[in-house]
Amino acid sequence: MNRTLDETVPPLPAGVRPPERLDLPGGVSLHRRAPAHAGPMNAAVTRNLEHLRPWMPWAGSAPTMEESREIAQSGWQAWADGTDFLYVAGLEGEPDVIVGAFGLHGRIGPGALEIGYWVDFDHTGRGIATQAAAALTTAALELPGIHRVEIRCDESNAASAAVPRRLDYRLDRIQQDAPITAPSETGRKLIWVKEA
């Protein structure tokens, strides 16, 4: 979970931010990730380690509570700085249960944001990732100065690749990544693009 933000990517101007809450069908909503989410995020990540480990380099071991607090705080600050916009997915009536994490990441260069996501194992197959990515795509492309949204996933991650396909993203290219950072990766990264 510890990743550094690319400091060379310019932040969005002050006041230019996506919505802090996005409501999805079926009683799911995305909320700006806050320091108060550290405990529920720690529980969600720990509960999903086996599910996430094949694809997420940071899922090699359970985070400590201190690491979760640091990550939550740095995510909160990145939003304020305009470089990264992190969300948690929750269910109506269950405010302390996180069923996924999503983000609009400013790490791919000016005028573009990358969507990242994972969904709790017990909530896969319900369309949460697709609905959230659709809402985040719309929110990103409505931001002044954002003209492109990308979704990137390893070629062998069929579940993640299904999301941009469903949303009519265009497969722009396949990029060879090295080194491989997660156990199930092939190192061939699919770069899906949607433009304004």
Side-chain angles (χ1 to χ4, degrees):
M1 238 186 221
N2 293 329
R3 85 175 165 73
T4 57
L5 298 174
D6 182 351
E7 299 300 331
T8 64
V9 175
L12 293 181
V16 176
R17 302 290 182 267
E20 292 192 10
R21 179 184 171 120
L22 295 165
D23 292 317
L24 309 176
V28 177
S29 58
L30 300 181
H31 301 265
R32 176 184 176 183
R33 193 184 308 177
H37 292 121
M41 272 299 291
N42 182 279
V45 168
T46 300
R47 184 175 64 246
N48 281 279
L49 278 179
E50 291 303 314
H51 171 57
L52 298 172
R53 187 171 289 125
W55 312 110
M56 304 293 188
W58 48 261
S61 62
T64 66
M65 268 309 300
E66 182 57 32
E67 288 171 330
S68 292
R69 282 191 282 276
E70 289 172 9
I71 291 165
Q73 185 59 46
S74 66
W76 183 260
Q77 187 60 50
W79 186 298
D81 294 343
T83 57
D84 233 16
F85 309 99
L86 305 178
Y87 293 86
V88 295
L91 301 175
E92 188 176 316
E94 298 184 58
D96 293 331
V97 177
I98 291 176
V99 298
F102 296 82
L104 289 170
H105 306 291
R107 58 189 172 213
I108 57 173
L113 291 169
E114 177 187 350
I115 297 176
Y117 47 87
W118 65 265
V119 175
D120 180 274
F121 179 77
D122 290 335
H123 293 86
T124 59
R126 297 178 47 190
I128 293 172
T130 301
Q131 293 166 356
L136 290 170
T137 299
T138 299
L141 292 175
E142 289 177 350
L143 292 170
I146 299 299
H147 310 290
R148 186 177 83 254
V149 179
E150 293 184 5
I151 295 175
R152 298 172 175 221
C153 64
D154 191 83
E155 183 177 56
S156 63
N157 191 341
S160 282
V163 171
R165 278 191 189 101
R166 285 187 201 109
L167 298 177
D168 294 324
Y169 273 64
R170 171 179 52 83
L171 179 60
D172 185 66
R173 65 194 180 280
I174 300 174
Q175 175 178 306
Q176 187 66 40
D177 277 356
I180 293 173
T181 57
S184 292
E185 289 183 336
T186 65
R188 290 173 51 83
K189 188 80 67 182
L190 304 178
I191 314 293
W192 300 88
V193 174
K194 184 163 276 202
E195 295 168 313

